[in-house]
């Protein structure tokens, strides 16, 4: 009795899920956003490990970090979701492609704005005396909150970008292309 070779899984095999195009696109954007966003955490951890001393920072150092944190929050809202409206009559495939391109670029922009306070706090920790990483403890919670609310691709961020793309009445199909809404 000879054994027959095991059948190779086919794309229609229910035991082997095949990611849809929407899921693949969303995962790619999430991975890029996450890689950019994780930089703030890694930088903070290295700074703390290299110099574990933690004197209280000077008031000017704290002021710089707070101003950058507030400035980043304002920029995320004012610039991070700004996209041009799609023209009327754009074919669905072109609208999806254009919408995904704008969503990806604005997601990376919002992630960079969210990470900026931590990068500035890192620099401040060396520039102002006393040299302390406590400024990172001021910037990190705010930066992470900005990242989670605005940098991480979600149905809420997609809807905000979609509103700009559809400002003149054209359909963007962004939420459907990302798998947030059934097409």
């Amino acid at each position: 009795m000879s054994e027959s070779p095991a059948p190779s899984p086919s794309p229609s095999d229910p035991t082997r899920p095949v990611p849809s195009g929407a899921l693949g696109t969303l995962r790619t954007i999430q991975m890029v956003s996450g890689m950019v966003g994780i930089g703030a955490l890694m930088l903070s951890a290295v700074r703390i490990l290299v110099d574990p001393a933690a004197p209280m920072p000077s008031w000017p150092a704290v002021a710089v970090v707070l101003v950058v944190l507030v400035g980043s929050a304002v920029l995320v809202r004012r610039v991070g979701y700004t996209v041009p409206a799609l023209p009327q009559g754009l074919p669905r495939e072109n609208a999806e492609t254009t919408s995904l391109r704008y969503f990806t670029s604005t997601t990376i922009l919002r992630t960079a704005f969210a990470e900026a306070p931590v990068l500035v706090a890192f620099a401040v920790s060396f520039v102002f005396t006393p040299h302390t990483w406590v400024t990172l403890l001021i910037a990190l919670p705010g930066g992470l909150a900005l990242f989670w609310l605005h940098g991480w691709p979600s149905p809420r961020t997609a809807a905000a970008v979609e509103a700009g793309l559809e400002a003149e009445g054209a359909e963007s199909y962004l939420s459907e292309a990302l798998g947030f809404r059934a097409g």
Side-chain angles (χ1 to χ4, degrees), residues 7-161:
S8 63
S10 69
S12 61
D13 184 0
T15 60
R16 188 179 133 221
V18 177
S20 68
L23 183 60
T25 300
L26 178 61
R27 293 295 179 246
T28 302
I29 297 169
Q30 287 175 335
M31 284 177 43
V32 171
S33 180
M35 285 188 281
V36 172
I38 198 75
L41 289 173
M42 292 174 55
L43 197 61
S44 299
V46 168
R47 174 65 175 102
I48 292 167
L49 291 173
V50 168
D51 183 15
M56 290 307 294
S58 65
W59 286 111
V62 171
V64 167
V65 171
L66 290 175
V67 165
V68 171
L69 190 56
V70 170
S72 287
V74 169
L75 285 172
V76 162
R77 293 296 302 155
R78 301 269 172 136
V79 179
Y81 292 99
T82 304
V83 292
L86 294 175
Q88 291 282 351
L90 194 62
R92 181 181 178 124
E93 183 177 312
N94 292 356
E96 281 182 11
T97 303
T98 303
S99 298
L100 286 170
R101 186 170 29 109
Y102 280 122
F103 182 73
T104 302
S105 64
T106 59
T107 298
I108 299 305
L109 180 64
R110 291 188 309 272
T111 300
F113 285 147
E115 192 173 11
V118 178
L119 298 176
V120 169
F122 181 80
V124 163
S125 76
F126 291 108
V127 172
F128 289 85
T129 55
H131 301 294
T132 178
W133 50 262
V134 174
T135 55
L136 288 164
L137 293 181
I138 297 166
L140 199 54
L144 289 174
L146 285 173
F147 173 74
W148 186 252
L149 290 172
H150 302 287
W152 187 252
S154 68
R156 191 186 58 71
T157 59
V161 172

